[in-house]
Amino acid sequence: MPHVDELGGTWDLRVAPHGPVPEQAEALAGVTVPAWVPGCVHTDLMSEGRLEDPFRDDNEIAAAWIGRTDWQYRRDVSWSGPAQERIDLVFEGIDTVADIALDGVALGSTRNMHRSYRYDVTTLLDGVPRPLTVRLTSAYTEAERVRELLGPRPNAYPGPFNFIRKMACSFGWDWGPTLVTAGIWRPVRLEGWSTARLAAVRPLATYDGTGSLDLTVDVQRTRECDLRARVLLDGREIAGLDLPGGATVAHAVADAGEVTPWSPRGHGEPALYDLTVELLDGDRTLDRWECRTGFRTVAIDRTGGGFVFHVNREPVLIKGVNWIPDDIFPARMSRERYERRLREAADAGVNLIRVWGGGIYEDRAFYEVCDELGLMVWQDFLFACACYPEEEPLYSEVVAEARENVRRLAPHPSLITWCGNNENLWLREPSGWPGKPGGESSWGEKYYLETLPAIVAELDPSRPYQAGSPWSGGWEHPPNDPDHQTHHSWEVWNRQDYTHYRDSAPRFVAEFGWQAPPAWTTLRDAVSDEPLLPDSPGVLHHQKAEDGNGKLARGLAPHFGEPASTEAWHYLTQLNQVRAVRTGVEHWRSHWPHTGGTILWQLNDLWPVTSWAAIDGAGRHKPLSFALRELYAERAVTIQPRDGGLVVAVLNDHAEEWTATLLIERQDTGGAVRATATERVSVAGRSVALVPVPAAVADFGDPVAELLVARLDAARALWFAVEDRDFSYDDPALTVDVEPVPCGLDVHVHAVGLARDVLLQPDRVHPEAVVDRGFVTLLAGESTVFHVRAPVELDAGLVKAPWVLTDLPSVLRR
């Protein structure tokens, strides 16, 4: 069996000799700084007190020199394991441009953050420590060199990210800082082996009544001899693959027999099986590969321009979120952090995570947790918002990167589709890229329409490929045509109010969203401005979208008017984010299966920023994250304008029929019922029914003081005929009782009159406090309980401090 010596932990870091030294780096010239591997230069310098937190104020700007500097990592290594025929030095990830040497002998160079590297160091190691150096060239230097070689190419952001195979968003995005990293960002090790090792195992597990395993094994050898690979499923041998003589590849299709299929959330059990492949030389086990996998079959029905996912031959309504790297310094990610964030998504009713193309292929732990939770994964190849050269030195890097990651991720049943890029096919014409310098040169079309689909067809035919997001299926329609396949809805937010979501029913909405600032404490921790204002310098520095605050203001105006204070701005922008997303999701869900699903932009942030995220950069939940529970619930009702009237859309994403009595009332703010109607409804599983609201109920006698309420079992929907700024909100006469309980407080709230959008902000009680719900609307006479929890004892009196607990009528009266 291979023997492994991990080389993580403490290394030495210094500014690389004989490289560019920006003025800010001069103080470090010749200085050795302790570094941690896996890690990156920024986090090492922060740990040593040599770099201010770039997340605070405008410190990001002061850290820019790091990305312009060459760096060197060093440590001594020796082989302490048993004698082996071959010793390899293995890097799972280097960020990004590196020259590697052991004891002064050059081993190789890297130019791709998204690949692993393996070097034979057998003759260079013995029991004596030898110096291992990794010299990192500035990513800017490399990208600018390639740009000079190949000529310019347009992109949507200033950085040259499209000339280097590196996490694109480290160069800055409309929600992210410009912090161009360098480092050994994934584990590194020495690996000793003899005779042969398993170089790659690629299982494609599918289900069609029984399980089938299409398995390819790649072997690396030191000698020719007859070998065998034994395949075990939950300890049961299901196949054997012979590798005679010098054979290095074996393939077989094995019958896995009666298995429980892996199913996505809401559609059954995400059943997983232990898969083991053992490489044998006679009775001797040379190597062992293990993972957990699941059996399922995936297809996309694109009939008539549609876009509906089918898993195990069953159509699945997609209730998704877009995922960006959860930290601008991805080496800081851990399995625990992945699990926390993904469980938060699952708890919000999400069933699909789209891994966006400007980030990274995530760590194995990410996909394993998705496998376990039944979260489907849409995986972009890593191209976003730019023209990408198709020539060398980039083309071969793209091919190698794609082949490695398709193989690496193949075992994961959660991964259900590969996508060629994010917005590159779409943005070319609307952005006028063909008329810009380099716009007529190669721009990536070959990658998306030829290279990548060929790789997926060869290595992973078990999953559907799509050329891009958005993409209409071919050039006969505009790439972002809402009537054909996937659509990104950004006219709303950028130029239109969110009510315009109702103007169309795209076949599949792969991106849409509305901004809001982070939680109050997250904002205050990141911005030291006094006074703190929506347009104070630090707040604007943590707003990266073009005219982002202007769009927030224009989004508030038609609904609420101008906020009276920064605190009101914070509350109202959070509320408007929820209102916008609710408008879109409920409208589009009411058109299922014409509209195959929605993928919210975005779940998470990678630093504290005003953005579209539901969970902010400090991991605090915005109210949107709680609203998703209602919007993505299996069963829900919503009142929708349709054909000049109103309908109640009964949304049943449960397998069983939903039969109950629908109650529709028009009532005033004091709870008096002005009109009512009931109807018995039966809605088949996985379907939607539209129930017209009778004219006698829908005809508002006093639109500024009445609302519609629809109830079906525990589901409820509200409809107001006028905007909030025009509605006659009376004082709801809230009463608040705070009950200390173990680990927190239970806050009991009762409303005498209509209390719309009551919100408790737990971080205003304590930075570590959390709550179990976001905005809650109480009709006259209703009550609710906010469960506030924290790892410390909480001061109950703080609940009644300003802005801890508030409601919309109170905010509009201030």
Side-chain angles (χ1 to χ4, degrees), residues 428-445:
R428 178 171 165 78
E429 294 297 332
S431 300
W433 287 347
K436 295 181 180 180
E440 293 296 341
S441 303
S442 66
W443 56 276
E445 182 181 22

Side-chain angles (χ1 to χ4, degrees), residues 295-314:
F295 296 83
R296 84 287 175 276
T297 298
V298 182
I300 302 174
D301 182 358
R302 308 181 218 220
T303 304
F307 199 85
V308 176
F309 280 94
H310 287 244
V311 180
N312 303 326
R313 305 189 185 282
E314 180 180 357

Side-chain angles (χ1 to χ4, degrees), residues 66-275:
I66 298 172
R68 292 282 182 181
T69 304
D70 292 355
W71 298 92
Q72 179 177 286
Y73 282 78
R74 182 195 181 282
R75 66 159 289 168
D76 288 338
V77 299
S78 61
W79 179 249
S80 60
Q84 300 279 10
E85 295 175 358
R86 172 79 174 259
I87 302 171
D88 290 336
L89 173 64
V90 182
F91 291 89
E92 292 189 19
I94 298 178
D95 179 14
T96 293
V97 183
D99 294 301
I100 303 163
L102 179 59
D103 201 23
V105 178
L107 300 180
S109 299
T110 74
R111 295 293 184 273
N112 195 324
M113 181 181 181
H114 310 302
R115 293 179 58 191
S116 62
Y117 297 90
R118 178 180 290 265
Y119 303 102
D120 181 358
V121 295
T122 311
T123 62
L124 300 176
L125 285 179
D126 50 27
V128 178
R130 309 289 182 183
L132 172 62
T133 60
V134 179
R135 181 192 171 102
L136 295 163
T137 299
S138 160
Y140 280 112
T141 300
E142 171 69 4
E144 289 162 358
R145 179 188 74 84
V146 175
R147 183 172 60 192
E148 181 68 21
L149 177 68
L150 301 181
R153 297 295 194 286
N155 68 28
Y157 299 98
F161 61 86
N162 47 334
F163 292 94
I164 185 170
R165 297 310 297 159
K166 174 178 170 59
M167 187 173 85
C169 64
S170 66
F171 289 89
W173 224 260
D174 58 0
W175 36 256
T178 301
L179 293 168
V180 178
T181 51
I184 304 172
W185 76 290
R186 280 183 166 160
V188 55
R189 64 183 180 273
L190 291 173
E191 186 177 301
W193 53 279
S194 297
T195 306
R197 70 176 190 90
L198 292 168
V201 176
R202 179 166 47 91
L204 305 178
T206 55
Y207 179 82
D208 189 6
T210 59
S212 178
L213 187 70
D214 185 315
L215 185 73
T216 302
V217 173
D218 293 300
V219 169
Q220 187 177 15
R221 295 171 172 269
T222 60
R223 67 178 75 168
E224 292 190 5
C225 60
D226 293 343
L227 303 176
R228 181 173 180 269
R230 184 169 63 161
V231 183
L232 307 172
L233 190 69
D234 274 2
R236 170 174 59 93
E237 184 169 349
I238 61 171
L241 289 75
D242 293 325
L243 293 113
T248 58
V249 179
H251 173 262
V253 177
D255 181 1
E258 297 296 325
V259 297
T260 301
W262 184 94
S263 298
R265 295 188 68 80
H267 287 256
E269 177 189 354
L272 296 173
Y273 293 84
D274 292 325
L275 177 63

Side-chain angles (χ1 to χ4, degrees), residues 47 157 267-268 369 401 435 473 480 550 583 608 618 685 710 714 769 785:
S47 295
Y157 299 98
H267 287 256
V369 174
E401 166 194 319
N480 201 33
T583 299
V785 181

